[in-house]
Amino acid sequence: MTGPLTPAISQTEQAPTQHLSAEQILGPTRPQHRAAGSQDSRLANRRWWDADAGDYHAEHAAFLGDADFVWCPEGLREDDAHLLGEVEGLRVLEVGCGSAPCGRWLTGAGAQVTAFDLSAGMLSYAADAATRSGLHAPLVQADASAMPFASQSFDIACSAFGAVPFVADSALVMREVARVLRPGGRWVFSVTHPMRWIFLDDPGEKGLQAVSSYFDRSPYVEVDSDGVPAYVEHHRTLGDRIREIVAAGFTLTDLIEPEWPDDLEATWGQWSRLRGEVFPGTAIFVCDLPG
């Protein structure tokens, strides 16, 4: 494996410590219908998540935990789902780890974990949580489109809402994951369910009304007061995503669409019981690399 084994975080790169939102730090943003390539997406999302790391964790830390593997806002946990299989003694790569609670859970389960993210701000929270929990794994600041790891370095790769939707060329991410996995390896990742792009990001009744075409692959772009992209997210249909997976050499073993649990009353952004009982909010892809 190549590349650094500790976060490449300098004092000047650290996200602000106060719990301000990205909008408060970067200034007001507005949606704009425009293209966003790899460079736009990389710069915007690194800037956004560096700025939003404090506010994100102030809001969601209790749900995420210091060492817990939650696949989605519906609350599906790896401890119950076992989508990765037995991890003890295996080398696991967490893609787009954020503050890496999943990586620390895997470390506690006996895996040899490396976790990486584009955002130095998110990795700073990962380092703090490692100190609190005593569960340490190498943290790397890297782009999912160009992973700084040797080929066939890992047995398993996983991502819970990390990296994949924020990269312009997600097919390249699939190929990069296939490259760093050993033959017979497993790749499991969760993303917002593609059909959610039809609806407004509203947990209430407005979020039940279809407003966009499922087949419009235009990215969601927010720009700052200077017109510079500050946040970018990319849409792929289910068919698009499956073709990317297969083209990278994987076999799609399972596609999981978690149902809303009977005992969950929480709202997370656009996720709510009202919407979750009508259509899925999460898609989890379980992919295997032939041996």
Side-chain angles (χ1 to χ4, degrees):
M1 183 173 66
T2 61
L5 293 183
T6 54
I9 305 172
S10 70
Q11 291 301 313
T12 57
E13 287 179 313
Q14 293 277 358
T17 57
Q18 65 268 36
H19 294 161
L20 299 177
S21 67
E23 293 93 337
Q24 290 172 308
I25 294 170
L26 302 178
T29 62
R30 66 185 188 280
Q32 188 177 80
H33 187 80
R34 56 167 291 174
S38 295
Q39 183 74 345
D40 280 341
S41 301
R42 182 183 306 110
L43 294 177
N45 287 320
R46 177 172 176 174
R47 184 161 66 119
W48 179 273
W49 290 109
D50 280 354
D52 204 50
D55 188 58
Y56 179 85
H57 285 92
E59 182 176 359
H60 299 303
F63 180 90
L64 295 170
D66 273 347
D68 197 2
F69 199 135
V70 187
W71 281 107
C72 54
E74 290 87 354
L76 181 65
R77 283 174 160 78
E78 176 59 17
D79 199 31
D80 299 315
H82 306 294
L83 302 183
L84 302 179
E86 177 56 55
V87 300
E88 185 173 5
L90 299 183
R91 299 196 68 180
V92 181
L93 179 66
E94 185 179 5
V95 177
C97 65
S99 60
C102 301
R104 286 186 295 279
W105 182 90
L106 288 163
T107 298
Q112 301 173 43
V113 180
T114 299
F116 79 88
D117 199 272
L118 183 65
S119 166
M122 295 298 279
L123 289 172
S124 70
Y125 277 83
D128 290 344
T131 299
R132 286 195 304 271
S133 65
L135 296 168
H136 296 270
L139 301 172
V140 179
Q141 185 176 7
D143 182 352
S145 300
M147 298 181 189
F149 309 109
S151 298
Q152 300 186 18
S153 297
F154 299 96
D155 302 295
I156 298 171
C158 60
S159 183
F161 278 77
V164 175
F166 305 106
V167 174
D169 189 353
S170 51
L172 176 56
V173 175
M174 301 299 155
R175 295 196 298 273
E176 277 289 272
V177 173
R179 179 183 66 79
V180 302
L181 281 179
R182 293 170 178 152
R186 171 159 286 195
W187 163 227
V188 185
F189 66 97
S190 60
V191 294
T192 301
H193 199 288
M195 74 172 296
R196 285 283 172 117
W197 281 72
I198 302 170
F199 305 94
L200 294 175
D201 277 359
D202 188 319
E205 292 187 0
K206 289 182 180 179
L208 297 176
Q209 182 178 356
V211 296
S212 301
S213 169
Y214 176 73
F215 301 104
D216 182 0
R217 276 80 162 184
S218 301
Y220 176 79
V221 182
E222 292 189 17
V223 299
D224 62 19
S225 58
D226 296 322
V228 177
Y231 178 92
V232 181
E233 193 168 345
H234 295 271
H235 170 51
R236 299 289 183 272
T237 67
L238 277 176
D240 294 337
R241 193 66 75 201
I242 291 169
R243 282 186 288 275
E244 290 178 350
I245 290 167
V246 173
F250 289 104
T251 297
L252 181 64
T253 303
D254 202 355
L255 172 58
I256 298 160
E257 300 164 299
E259 297 186 33
W260 195 265
D262 292 337
D263 59 351
L264 181 61
E265 298 300 334
T267 297
W268 174 309
Q270 51 138 316
W271 276 263
S272 65
R273 173 176 293 281
L274 177 66
R275 302 181 80 199
E277 290 183 338
V278 177
F279 48 80
T282 298
I284 307 174
F285 298 84
V286 182
C287 317
D288 288 317
L289 197 64

